[in-house]
Amino acid sequence: IATATRALYNVYSPALVNYLTYGNSVPHLHTYLVCRFLDDPSPGLPRTPFIERLVDEAELAERMNQLRIAIAG
């Protein structure tokens, strides 16, 4: 989780990252890392629902590549 968070800071430069860790009906844990930015529409409040937007495939591929490089680091 720490490695992924560092990569998010390197690639997206958020103001902070929220950690949402769940382990509902079956024995497991999973964590969402949610970037928060200075222009956040709900500062100080949970991001529910998550804001979704369509992303161009080329942009998505570039961001994924940047994250891979940051994780390999």
Side-chain angles (χ1 to χ4, degrees), residues 10-54:
N10 287 336
V11 173
Y12 291 100
S13 301
L16 60 95
V17 174
N18 288 156
Y19 301 83
L20 296 93
T21 301
Y22 301 98
N24 294 339
S25 56
V26 296
H28 79 292
L29 291 176
H30 62 275
T31 300
Y32 294 93
L33 303 176
V34 181
C35 293
R36 305 297 293 260
F37 298 93
L38 294 177
D39 63 350
D40 192 318
S42 56
L45 299 172
R47 290 285 301 269
T48 307
F50 292 109
I51 296 170
E52 296 182 19
R53 69 176 178 90
L54 293 177

